[in-house]
Amino acid sequence: MNIWILGAGAMGSLFGGLLAESGQKVTLVDVDDLHLEAIRRQGLRLETDAGDRRITGMKTCRPEQASGHADVLLVFTKTLHTDQALRSIGFHLASHTMVLSLQNGLGNAETLCRHLAPEQVMIGMTTWPADRVGPAHVRSHGRGLVRMLTLDSVDRPAAAEVAAVLDGVGLDCAMDRDVWQSIWEKVAFNAAMNGLCAVTGCTVGQLDAVPEGALLAREIVQEVIAVARASGVEADARRCLASVADAMAQHRTHKPSMLQDLLAGRPTEIESINGEVIARARRVGVPVPRTETLYALVRLVEARVLSGELPV
Ligand code: NAD
C-alpha cells in the first residue's frame, strides 16, 4: 500500500511516523520546507508513550514535486487548507485511491467530494492528540482512538483494509456506523472550548474561574447537539457535557488549538467548526444565538491578529 499523508504537521507526522515504523510505504506531502528538509536529513523525531525515537525511510515532498499515485491518502491539513491541498495533488489521485479525513469540524466530506468520487471518500474522527515541537519533531502523549466510515456507509474491502492498517499500528481504529455521532459530539466540544478559549485567552481550566464561563460552554454544547439531532444525528448531550466537565477538571492548563493558532498569528478553524454549525442550524431552523455570538467574536479577534494589530 502506498500511503500518502497530505498535511504532515502534528497529526500527519504522528500517523505517518507510526505507519512507517511498522513497515508501511509512507509519503509525507506538505508545504513546510523546513519540516520536510529536517525529516529528510535526520528522520522524524516522534515522542509517544512508546518512547522517543527517530523514524527514517519516509518519502517527503511538496505537492508539486509528488510523483506516482497514492493507494490511500490521509488528509491532515487544517480544514481551511484542504481544498487548495487537494487541488495541488489532484493528478496523483487515481480512481482506486481511498481518501480519509480525520480532521476536526464539519464540511470535510463535502470538500473531499469536490475532488473525488463519493465512493473514494472515508470520513471519521480521532481523539489522538499531537503537538509539533519543532521541525521534524512531534509529540503525542496519552491514548486515543480512530473511528471511520465510508461516506455512503457501504462496506468496502478497501476501506476495511485502511481501518485494519491503522489499527495494526496501534491507533485503535475501527469502522463505526455511528461515526457521525462522534464527529458531531467532537464539534460540539470544540465549538465551545476552542471558541471560548480563543476569544478569552483562557486555558481550558480557566473557563471554570467564574460560573458564567462553564455555563456558557455548556449552553454552546447544548445548541450544537440540538442542531445535530435536528439534522438526524443522535448525538448525546450528556456524554459531551461530561467531556467538557472532565476537560475542565483534568486538562486545566491545556490551550486548545484555536487559541494556539491565534497566539502564533495563524488563521483558525472557526469556519469549519462554529461556522458550519451555524450554516446547518439555519438549514434545520434551530436557533444558536450563543454559537453565533462566539463565532463573530472569534472572527473579530482573528482579523486583528492576522492584520498584525493584535498580539493576543
Ligand atoms: P498542523 O498545523 O500541525 O498540520 C497541518 C499541516 O498541513 C502543516 O504541516 C501545514 O504545513 C500543512 N499544509 C498546509 N497547507 C498545505 C497544502 N496546501 N498542501 C500540503 N500541506 C499543507 O495541524 P494538526 O494539529 O496536525 O491538525 C490537522 C487536522 O487534524 C486539523 O483539522 C485538526 O483540527 C485535526 N486534529 C488535530 C488534533 C491534534 O491534537 N493536533 C487532534 C485531532 C484532530
Side-chain angles (χ1 to χ4, degrees), residues 13 16-28 38-46 53-60 136:
S13 292
L18 292 175
L19 286 162
E21 196 172 36
S22 77
Q24 297 289 339
K25 273 202 305 191
V26 174
T27 301
L28 304 178
I39 294 174
R40 272 196 288 275
R41 266 190 290 116
Q42 62 204 27
L44 172 75
R45 181 173 170 197
L46 186 60
R53 66 275 197 200
R54 278 193 194 281
I55 296 164
T56 53
M58 286 182 284
K59 282 193 196 160
T60 57

Side-chain angles (χ1 to χ4, degrees), residues 7-234:
M11 293 299 282
S13 292
L14 170 67
F15 276 57
L18 292 175
L19 286 162
E21 196 172 36
S22 77
Q24 297 289 339
K25 273 202 305 191
V26 174
T27 301
L28 304 178
V29 185
D30 205 292
V31 292
D32 182 340
D33 292 320
L34 220 57
H35 184 53
L36 295 179
E37 178 54 31
I39 294 174
R40 272 196 288 275
R41 266 190 290 116
Q42 62 204 27
L44 172 75
R45 181 173 170 197
L46 186 60
E47 282 183 63
T48 68
D49 291 352
D52 183 356
R53 66 275 197 200
R54 278 193 194 281
I55 296 164
T56 53
M58 286 182 284
K59 282 193 196 160
T60 57
C61 64
R62 291 183 62 90
E64 64 273 16
Q65 297 164 335
S67 65
H69 290 288
D71 299 316
V72 177
L73 182 77
L74 303 186
V75 182
F76 268 131
T77 58
K78 287 280 174 74
T79 49
L80 63 155
H81 298 129
T82 312
D83 213 35
Q84 165 63 28
L86 281 171
R87 203 171 313 122
S88 64
I89 59 147
F91 176 69
H92 304 281
L93 303 175
S95 57
H96 74 274
T97 309
M98 295 298 287
V99 181
L100 171 63
S101 163
L102 299 174
Q103 297 157 291
N104 282 328
L106 297 168
N108 296 313
E110 288 86 340
T111 307
L112 297 193
C113 284
R114 284 200 285 277
H115 302 268
L116 296 142
E119 312 83 70
Q120 295 178 271
V121 173
M122 302 176 294
I123 196 82
M125 74 101 210
T126 178
T127 56
W128 285 98
D131 287 303
R132 278 173 83 138
V133 185
H137 186 183
V138 166
R139 184 178 291 147
S140 171
H141 285 298
R143 288 204 54 78
L145 52 76
V146 180
R147 294 294 177 263
M148 56 180 276
L149 188 65
T150 53
L151 186 56
D152 51 11
S153 305
V154 172
D155 292 325
R156 288 200 178 78
E161 199 181 340
V162 174
V165 167
L166 294 179
D167 194 53
V169 303
L171 284 164
D172 186 359
C173 178
M175 301 296 277
D176 180 1
R177 298 210 154 262
D178 294 327
V179 76
W180 286 103
Q181 285 178 19
S182 312
I183 290 173
W184 271 93
E185 285 170 21
K186 195 165 188 211
V187 166
F189 179 96
N190 283 335
M193 308 302 270
N194 265 283
L196 287 172
C197 291
V199 96
T200 58
C202 285
T203 63
V204 166
Q206 287 166 341
L207 289 179
D208 206 13
V210 294
E212 292 82 355
L215 176 64
L216 191 50
R218 289 197 296 273
E219 288 172 337
I220 291 168
V221 165
Q222 303 271 20
E223 285 186 0
V224 178
I225 297 293
V227 179
R229 296 181 77 87
S231 309
V233 176
E234 296 288 309

